[in-house]
Amino acid sequence: MGFTILGTGSALPERSVSNDELSEFLDTSDEWIFTRTGIKSRHVCTTESLDDLTVAASEWALRVSGIDASQLDLIVCSTTTGDHLVPAEACAVAERLGATCPAFDVSAACAGFVFALDVAEGYIARGRAEHVLVIAAEQMTRALDWTDRATCVLFGDGAGAVVIEAGGENPLAVELSTAPDVETLRVPGLVGTSPFKASADSESVLSMNGRRVFKFGVNAICDTVHKLACDASIAVEDIDHFVFHQANERILNQAIKRLGVPDERVVRTLRETGNISSACIPFALDRLARTDALNAGDTIALVGFGAGLDIGGYLLRWK
């Protein structure tokens, strides 16, 4: 049994921070950032919590879908930057929505939404769920070294969500994989204050090998799209829309060039949001769903890639 997407939703913090504002305390400029990343601004949590964004995106998706929170059989949330390590971000959403179904988080970095969607599909396939809320929410700005211009200019905060229902042909194809690599992109865990540890833990801020991520990202997009098309017995050029992880404009441009697909079929949100990690794909999908470009029967390729190095690809048909 497959599933159908009933509704999408998204949310961003109110505060938008431009490249020019960053240049006030970093040795950088709007030109330096934009030409290297394609980013002009990003949204940053100030008064909002991640719980607030996650609930707002979920409420919007539920409203569009026409499903009440009491009808949900499962809530799955992708996050690596939750407001609390315990309980799960999904539990906070359930509490605020008034849902009593199982709720838990998954962690697969920037590929997390696709992995969460696959978990939800598994529940539906086993007859364990009829309606599922799948969310991705990240407050990446809390995990950054704000003196490091190579990384802090890239990220922002945000959330996206979808409500899916049992029945339908999705997914048309799935590609999940890991190319194990812990050091290329990482955020160390809790430091703690244990008196029994012989050495101090590293500070919990993000570090990244940009060149490695660039090469990995381009290959991940291209290889995954080709595999999805092959598994679904369609040509790459027959895919109507592409929703890729929004890491860097140069990665997107290089991947599009190699794939040979029209630029207008690729959804872009990077310019105004920066990289919002696993929330990039559902956020971009929600933006696509609000346009006239998306029609019933259209095919959509989702490709996420991130720390781990995890890769997640889903080929869907919009209904």
Side-chain angles (χ1 to χ4, degrees):
M1 179 186 292
F3 68 82
T4 301
I5 296 177
L6 295 182
T8 64
S10 62
L12 293 172
E14 183 177 351
R15 179 80 158 90
S16 177
V17 177
S18 69
N19 292 340
D20 287 331
E21 288 183 79
L22 295 183
S23 68
E24 294 175 3
F25 62 89
L26 289 172
D27 181 17
T28 190
S29 67
D30 174 65
E31 181 184 11
W32 190 93
I33 298 170
F34 183 67
T35 57
R36 287 164 176 77
T37 68
I39 299 169
K40 277 287 189 180
S41 60
R42 71 285 299 144
H43 287 255
V44 176
C45 286
T46 53
T47 59
E48 310 94 343
S49 67
L50 190 63
D51 288 352
D52 293 334
L53 296 183
T54 311
V55 170
S58 300
E59 288 177 335
W60 188 281
L62 286 166
R63 186 160 56 248
V64 171
S65 69
I67 297 298
D68 187 79
S70 63
Q71 296 175 264
L72 292 173
D73 303 303
L74 178 68
I75 300 174
V76 186
C77 180
S78 165
T79 188
T80 55
T81 54
D83 280 341
H84 21 78
L85 291 176
V86 177
E89 190 71 28
C91 292
V93 174
E95 181 178 47
R96 297 258 299 260
L97 293 179
T100 58
C101 59
F104 58 87
D105 292 351
V106 299
S107 175
C110 300
F113 176 76
V114 180
F115 278 71
L117 194 60
D118 196 57
V119 169
E121 191 272 331
Y123 271 76
I124 286 175
R126 290 182 290 129
R128 297 284 299 277
E130 181 78 16
H131 297 108
V132 183
L133 174 63
V134 185
I135 318 161
E138 305 284 3
Q139 190 177 341
M140 291 301 297
T141 57
R142 67 174 18 134
L144 302 176
D145 176 357
W146 284 94
T147 66
D148 179 13
R149 72 170 187 172
T151 56
C152 74
V153 302
L154 300 174
F155 295 92
D157 305 329
V162 300
V163 175
I164 65 174
E165 179 181 57
E169 57 184 321
N170 291 318
L172 304 179
V174 181
E175 290 291 337
L176 304 177
S177 64
T178 303
D181 179 344
V182 172
E183 295 301 321
T184 289
L185 203 168
R186 67 192 302 263
V187 179
L190 291 174
V191 175
T193 59
S194 171
F196 304 104
K197 289 211 67 173
S199 59
D201 291 318
S202 300
E203 187 179 6
S204 291
V205 295
L206 181 143
S207 63
M208 180 176 68
N209 181 329
R211 291 185 178 181
R212 171 75 174 112
V213 169
F214 181 91
K215 182 178 180 180
F216 164 68
V218 174
N219 289 335
I221 289 174
C222 295
D223 292 347
T224 304
V225 168
H226 282 294
K227 289 176 181 177
L228 291 172
C230 181
D231 291 349
S233 299
I234 64 173
V236 169
E237 54 265 30
D238 290 334
I239 298 174
D240 298 299
H241 307 280
F242 299 88
V243 180
F244 301 140
H245 172 53
Q246 307 283 301
N248 186 298
E249 184 67 26
R250 288 180 172 179
I251 292 177
L252 295 178
N253 288 340
Q254 186 67 24
I256 293 166
K257 182 179 179 181
R258 280 177 49 180
L259 288 169
V261 299
D263 188 81
E264 61 270 17
R265 294 189 189 181
V266 180
V267 183
R268 285 179 168 85
T269 59
L270 185 67
R271 184 185 178 102
E272 289 80 26
T273 66
N275 182 346
I276 49 177
S277 189
S278 70
C280 283
I281 288 178
F283 183 88
L285 183 62
D286 180 50
R287 287 297 181 264
L288 176 63
R290 299 190 198 195
T291 69
D292 294 332
L294 185 58
N295 301 299
D298 283 358
T299 50
I300 310 169
L302 313 180
V303 181
F305 57 90
L309 298 165
D310 280 333
I311 305 169
Y314 245 57
L315 185 63
L316 305 172
R317 192 178 304 281
W318 189 256
K319 205 167 186 177

